[in-house]
Amino acid sequence: MSASSRVRVYMGCSFDGFIAGPDDEIDWLEASYRAAGDLEPDADALTFDRFMSQIGAMLMGRTTYEVVQKYGQWHYGKTPVLIATHRPLEPMADTIQTVAGPIEDLIVKTKDVAGDKDVYLDGADLVRQALNADLVDEITVTLLPILLGTGVRMYDGLASRTRLQFVAHHAHDGGFVQVTARVPK
């Protein structure tokens, strides 16, 4: 495991703080909201492809995996993906393996697989567990100009306040705004 490997969260979020709709729908993440008068996209915004090029392995929650499976598109290429689950699953790709255990052990295992690259942590429950255990290093949120009103929130259920340090902000293509924050240790 590399000491320089970071645990990172990269997510799209509605302006009112939801990462999925009430039935776990994420189709609204695929839409373009670009309109006249939007901020001009910043070339330094972190695209998903550029983010994934920095990732050595991904730790994904079972519910998130099932949502991805429902939409039928595998966006993670050849990146090893560890799915946190206690139940058997049908893998969408040959890069998938299942893991179980406390979040601390899952992060260590994923860092081992990632080598010198970073870990991508995906899934509201896993992100909350990792934040509660002080295991997240960086969060990039891409805000979409839509209000969902209800759905799945990423941070509900945190055990305590988590101080963040904003390190970047960019206008993103599609009419989005992106903010990156470090979790100071």
Side-chain angles (χ1 to χ4, degrees), residues 37-103:
D38 281 349
L39 299 171
E40 283 301 314
D42 184 338
D44 292 329
L46 186 59
T47 64
F48 184 73
D49 289 340
R50 201 165 97 223
F51 174 74
M52 286 303 294
S53 75
Q54 301 166 13
I55 300 302
M58 181 175 185
L59 177 60
M60 180 185 285
R62 174 66 184 247
T63 301
T64 301
Y65 177 74
E66 289 174 350
V67 169
V68 170
Q69 194 174 35
K70 179 173 79 174
Y71 283 91
Q73 291 184 319
W74 190 247
H75 297 283
Y76 312 105
K78 294 295 179 188
T79 302
V81 178
L82 288 68
I83 308 294
T85 185
H86 294 281
R87 298 175 284 134
L89 60 78
E90 186 174 322
M92 290 181 68
D94 60 3
T95 56
I96 293 172
Q97 63 178 289
T98 60
V99 293
I103 190 66

